[in-house]
Amino acid sequence: MTYFPNVDKVLYEGPDSTNMLAFHHYNPEEIINGKTMKEHLRFAVAYWHTMTQDGSDPFGAAVNVRTWLTDDPMETAKNRVTAIFEFLTKIDAPYFCFHDVDIAPEGNSLKEFNRNLDDITDLIKAKMDETGIKLLWNTANMFTNPRFIHGAASSPNAEVFAYAAAQVKKGLELSKKLGGENYVFWGGREGYETLLNTDMKFEQENSARLFHMAIDYAKEIGHQVQFLIEPKPMEPTKHQYDFDAATTMAFLLKYNLDQDFKLNLEANHATLAGHTFEHELNVARNYNALGSIDANQGDVLLGWDTDEFPTDLQAATLAMYEVVENGGIAPGGINFDSKVRRSSFEMDDLFIAHIAGMDTFARGFKAALRLKADGFFDTLKAERYASYQTGIGADILANKMDLKSLEQYALAHDQITNQSSHIEYVKSKLNDYLV
Ligand code: XUL
Ligand code: CO
């Protein structure tokens, strides 16, 4: 049984190949600094975009050809397990990620949902054992079902809090069963539409309460997993609580969660927050909280989360530079939270799109390593901040100065000269690394 009869294992054919179903830059077995590219990049496939997304949009019906669909939701779920492992094996991705609702139908009760999850994860586990493919992260979808209309942990309805807690408990049990390396919370509908009826402090306290319960339960069941929060500024709520990396760090520090949580950062969420992706990664890194990456790209001309496969080489390079500076991304990875455009509706497009994303990140990674090896940014920054290496700058850094002594210095040195950044030259030079 094959779902992708047109595709054999995707192989590296080099930059000159015109084969759409081959890698041109990502060579999984290529060794760089003692590790294979596959080990460095830790690519993951998202179950929701690859297996369940149907190509519908607010203006049009489902268009995606997906041969695993049947009239029976459980049969479809089983087909999807076979299909995703065929896909993962052929695309040579070492990891996958899922929401609970992506893999199994909810049925008519929580009991039935849990039973379906048990059955499907039995199949998934067997496939994982057979292929060596691993779970980067899973999460609970606490935003699609109508019960989450006002949020999950932040819902004003305590019954919804309880249901969400049950889903998280199950999610952690599945994570343990499948050896998940991370567990993600993306704040679905945790946010608000208007402050007229919202107690923001209460809602955030309750969110923190659920996170603490998750930490406690993972310890109780003896599951070592890296918890991650995925910031996003808006959509579906007007104001998401985990707005961006800085806001989320403030939340984690305030509620004493920073020792157990890192961040899962998504490129398109950064764009929506008015940041570059590298900004978000840099903020996280400064807090030692760069956990994992949801790789995609948005469209600056469109104000919503378009989740496109990443093909912008400069953006990928600057993102990978942060990863290089971070000493790698493990135990996180690079998860393609990306969906094919509606016009790319054929089954093979799933391969073509992932290849484009993997090639782009492979090129970005190599460019980032060249930038690091040449000390491109290191030199630039060392020169820019050189005034702190000697004289008054060194005294400031050594905490030898105070306002009085600095006033004395300034009175004697008030004819200040600055230097041009020549930033246009820098930007043009950066292009040399991209091609
Ligand atoms: C939503 C989003 C989610 C999370 C997982 O914008 O990015 O798919 O990655 O819930
Ligand atoms: Co995401």
Side-chain angles (χ1 to χ4, degrees), residues 185 205-219 227 251-252 254-258 260-261:
F185 288 92
E205 278 167 8
N206 262 355
S207 297
R209 206 182 305 279
L210 185 68
F211 294 144
H212 275 291
M213 289 179 186
I215 295 167
D216 291 347
Y217 190 63
K219 282 195 186 125
F227 283 104
F251 170 86
L252 291 175
K254 176 171 163 70
Y255 292 104
N256 200 18
L257 291 158
D258 57 302
D260 295 279
F261 274 84

Short mmCIF file of all heavy atoms in Angstrom, two decimals, residues 185 205-219 227 251-252 254-258 260-261:
data_model
loop_
_atom_site.label_atom_id
_atom_site.label_comp_id
_atom_site.label_asym_id
_atom_site.label_seq_id
_atom_site.Cartn_x
_atom_site.Cartn_y
_atom_site.Cartn_z
N PHE A 185 2.59 24.28 24.32
CA PHE A 185 1.34 24.99 24.52
C PHE A 185 1.35 26.19 23.58
O PHE A 185 2.19 27.08 23.71
CB PHE A 185 1.23 25.53 25.96
CG PHE A 185 1.00 24.48 26.99
CD1 PHE A 185 2.07 23.89 27.66
CD2 PHE A 185 -0.29 24.08 27.33
CE1 PHE A 185 1.85 22.93 28.64
CE2 PHE A 185 -0.51 23.12 28.31
CZ PHE A 185 0.57 22.55 28.96
N GLU A 205 -3.62 34.22 35.49
CA GLU A 205 -3.31 33.38 36.67
C GLU A 205 -3.78 31.95 36.43
O GLU A 205 -3.09 30.99 36.78
CB GLU A 205 -3.99 33.95 37.92
CG GLU A 205 -3.20 35.08 38.55
CD GLU A 205 -4.00 35.88 39.59
OE1 GLU A 205 -5.11 35.46 39.93
OE2 GLU A 205 -3.48 36.92 40.02
N ASN A 206 -4.94 31.82 35.84
CA ASN A 206 -5.46 30.48 35.57
C ASN A 206 -4.63 29.75 34.52
O ASN A 206 -4.44 28.54 34.62
CB ASN A 206 -6.93 30.55 35.12
CG ASN A 206 -7.87 30.27 36.28
OD1 ASN A 206 -7.42 29.94 37.37
ND2 ASN A 206 -9.16 30.42 36.04
N SER A 207 -4.14 30.49 33.53
CA SER A 207 -3.27 29.86 32.54
C SER A 207 -2.02 29.33 33.23
O SER A 207 -1.60 28.19 33.00
CB SER A 207 -2.86 30.87 31.46
OG SER A 207 -4.00 31.30 30.76
N ALA A 208 -1.44 30.16 34.10
CA ALA A 208 -0.24 29.74 34.84
C ALA A 208 -0.54 28.52 35.71
O ALA A 208 0.28 27.60 35.84
CB ALA A 208 0.28 30.89 35.70
N ARG A 209 -1.74 28.50 36.28
CA ARG A 209 -2.14 27.38 37.13
C ARG A 209 -2.11 26.07 36.33
O ARG A 209 -1.59 25.06 36.79
CB ARG A 209 -3.57 27.65 37.65
CG ARG A 209 -3.93 26.99 38.94
CD ARG A 209 -5.40 27.28 39.33
NE ARG A 209 -5.76 28.68 39.40
CZ ARG A 209 -5.50 29.49 40.44
NH1 ARG A 209 -4.87 29.02 41.49
NH2 ARG A 209 -5.87 30.76 40.41
N LEU A 210 -2.64 26.11 35.12
CA LEU A 210 -2.64 24.89 34.30
C LEU A 210 -1.21 24.47 33.94
O LEU A 210 -0.87 23.28 33.95
CB LEU A 210 -3.48 25.09 33.02
CG LEU A 210 -3.61 23.82 32.17
CD1 LEU A 210 -4.45 22.76 32.89
CD2 LEU A 210 -4.23 24.11 30.81
N PHE A 211 -0.35 25.46 33.65
CA PHE A 211 1.05 25.12 33.32
C PHE A 211 1.73 24.45 34.51
O PHE A 211 2.47 23.47 34.33
CB PHE A 211 1.83 26.37 32.90
CG PHE A 211 1.34 26.99 31.62
CD1 PHE A 211 1.34 28.38 31.44
CD2 PHE A 211 0.87 26.21 30.58
CE1 PHE A 211 0.88 28.95 30.26
CE2 PHE A 211 0.42 26.78 29.38
CZ PHE A 211 0.44 28.16 29.23
N HIS A 212 1.48 24.95 35.72
CA HIS A 212 2.08 24.32 36.90
C HIS A 212 1.56 22.89 37.08
O HIS A 212 2.31 21.99 37.45
CB HIS A 212 1.81 25.16 38.16
CG HIS A 212 2.84 26.26 38.33
ND1 HIS A 212 4.16 26.00 38.64
CD2 HIS A 212 2.74 27.60 38.19
CE1 HIS A 212 4.83 27.14 38.70
NE2 HIS A 212 3.99 28.13 38.42
N MET A 213 0.28 22.70 36.80
CA MET A 213 -0.28 21.34 36.91
C MET A 213 0.41 20.41 35.92
O MET A 213 0.66 19.24 36.23
CB MET A 213 -1.79 21.36 36.62
CG MET A 213 -2.62 22.01 37.70
SD MET A 213 -4.37 21.98 37.21
CE MET A 213 -5.08 22.96 38.53
N ALA A 214 0.70 20.94 34.73
CA ALA A 214 1.36 20.12 33.70
C ALA A 214 2.77 19.74 34.15
O ALA A 214 3.18 18.57 34.02
CB ALA A 214 1.40 20.88 32.38
N ILE A 215 3.50 20.70 34.70
CA ILE A 215 4.86 20.41 35.19
C ILE A 215 4.79 19.33 36.28
O ILE A 215 5.55 18.35 36.26
CB ILE A 215 5.51 21.69 35.77
CG1 ILE A 215 5.73 22.73 34.67
CG2 ILE A 215 6.83 21.37 36.47
CD1 ILE A 215 6.08 24.12 35.20
N ASP A 216 3.85 19.51 37.20
CA ASP A 216 3.73 18.55 38.31
C ASP A 216 3.38 17.16 37.80
O ASP A 216 3.94 16.16 38.26
CB ASP A 216 2.62 19.01 39.29
CG ASP A 216 3.04 20.27 40.04
OD1 ASP A 216 4.24 20.62 39.98
OD2 ASP A 216 2.16 20.91 40.65
N TYR A 217 2.48 17.10 36.81
CA TYR A 217 2.05 15.78 36.33
C TYR A 217 3.17 15.08 35.55
O TYR A 217 3.36 13.86 35.70
CB TYR A 217 0.78 15.89 35.47
CG TYR A 217 0.19 14.54 35.18
CD1 TYR A 217 -0.30 13.73 36.21
CD2 TYR A 217 0.15 14.03 33.88
CE1 TYR A 217 -0.82 12.47 35.96
CE2 TYR A 217 -0.37 12.77 33.63
CZ TYR A 217 -0.85 11.99 34.67
OH TYR A 217 -1.36 10.74 34.42
N ALA A 218 3.92 15.85 34.77
CA ALA A 218 5.04 15.23 34.04
C ALA A 218 6.02 14.63 35.04
O ALA A 218 6.54 13.52 34.84
CB ALA A 218 5.73 16.27 33.15
N LYS A 219 6.27 15.35 36.14
CA LYS A 219 7.17 14.81 37.18
C LYS A 219 6.56 13.56 37.80
O LYS A 219 7.25 12.55 37.99
CB LYS A 219 7.38 15.86 38.28
CG LYS A 219 8.37 16.94 37.84
CD LYS A 219 8.88 17.78 39.01
CE LYS A 219 9.74 18.90 38.44
NZ LYS A 219 9.31 20.23 38.85
N PHE A 227 9.09 21.64 28.24
CA PHE A 227 7.85 22.37 27.98
C PHE A 227 8.15 23.62 27.16
O PHE A 227 9.15 24.31 27.39
CB PHE A 227 7.18 22.78 29.30
CG PHE A 227 6.46 21.65 29.97
CD1 PHE A 227 7.01 21.02 31.08
CD2 PHE A 227 5.24 21.21 29.48
CE1 PHE A 227 6.34 19.96 31.69
CE2 PHE A 227 4.56 20.15 30.09
CZ PHE A 227 5.12 19.53 31.19
N PHE A 251 5.71 36.79 31.46
CA PHE A 251 4.70 35.90 32.05
C PHE A 251 5.37 34.73 32.77
O PHE A 251 5.04 34.41 33.93
CB PHE A 251 3.75 35.40 30.94
CG PHE A 251 2.82 34.32 31.37
CD1 PHE A 251 1.60 34.61 31.97
CD2 PHE A 251 3.15 32.98 31.18
CE1 PHE A 251 0.74 33.61 32.37
CE2 PHE A 251 2.30 31.97 31.58
CZ PHE A 251 1.09 32.28 32.17
N LEU A 252 6.33 34.09 32.09
CA LEU A 252 6.98 32.92 32.69
C LEU A 252 7.73 33.29 33.97
O LEU A 252 7.70 32.56 34.96
CB LEU A 252 7.95 32.28 31.68
CG LEU A 252 7.30 31.60 30.46
CD1 LEU A 252 8.37 31.12 29.48
CD2 LEU A 252 6.44 30.41 30.90
N LYS A 254 7.09 35.96 35.93
CA LYS A 254 6.13 36.39 36.96
C LYS A 254 5.52 35.18 37.68
O LYS A 254 5.32 35.20 38.88
CB LYS A 254 5.02 37.23 36.32
CG LYS A 254 3.90 37.65 37.29
CD LYS A 254 2.97 38.66 36.63
CE LYS A 254 1.65 38.82 37.33
NZ LYS A 254 1.69 39.46 38.62
N TYR A 255 5.23 34.14 36.90
CA TYR A 255 4.54 32.98 37.49
C TYR A 255 5.49 31.83 37.81
O TYR A 255 5.05 30.69 37.98
CB TYR A 255 3.38 32.54 36.59
CG TYR A 255 2.28 33.57 36.56
CD1 TYR A 255 2.11 34.42 35.47
CD2 TYR A 255 1.45 33.75 37.67
CE1 TYR A 255 1.12 35.39 35.47
CE2 TYR A 255 0.46 34.73 37.68
CZ TYR A 255 0.30 35.54 36.58
OH TYR A 255 -0.66 36.52 36.59
N ASN A 256 6.78 32.15 37.86
CA ASN A 256 7.75 31.16 38.32
C ASN A 256 7.74 29.90 37.46
O ASN A 256 7.79 28.77 37.98
CB ASN A 256 7.41 30.83 39.79
CG ASN A 256 8.58 30.21 40.51
OD1 ASN A 256 9.72 30.33 40.04
ND2 ASN A 256 8.31 29.52 41.60
N LEU A 257 7.65 30.10 36.15
CA LEU A 257 7.61 28.97 35.21
C LEU A 257 8.85 28.91 34.33
O LEU A 257 9.00 28.02 33.50
CB LEU A 257 6.37 29.10 34.31
CG LEU A 257 5.01 28.90 34.99
CD1 LEU A 257 3.89 29.58 34.19
CD2 LEU A 257 4.71 27.42 35.17
N ASP A 258 9.75 29.90 34.52
CA ASP A 258 10.87 30.04 33.58
C ASP A 258 11.88 28.90 33.67
O ASP A 258 12.63 28.68 32.71
CB ASP A 258 11.57 31.39 33.79
CG ASP A 258 12.05 31.55 35.22
OD1 ASP A 258 11.22 31.48 36.15
OD2 ASP A 258 13.28 31.71 35.41
N ASP A 260 11.09 25.76 33.82
CA ASP A 260 10.54 24.56 33.16
C ASP A 260 10.10 24.80 31.73
O ASP A 260 9.85 23.84 31.01
CB ASP A 260 9.33 24.05 33.97
CG ASP A 260 9.76 23.57 35.34
OD1 ASP A 260 10.23 22.43 35.42
OD2 ASP A 260 9.67 24.35 36.30
N PHE A 261 9.98 26.07 31.34
CA PHE A 261 9.48 26.37 30.00
C PHE A 261 10.54 27.10 29.17
O PHE A 261 11.28 27.94 29.68
CB PHE A 261 8.25 27.30 30.09
CG PHE A 261 6.96 26.56 30.27
CD1 PHE A 261 6.55 26.17 31.54
CD2 PHE A 261 6.14 26.26 29.19
CE1 PHE A 261 5.35 25.49 31.72
CE2 PHE A 261 4.94 25.58 29.37
CZ PHE A 261 4.54 25.20 30.63
#
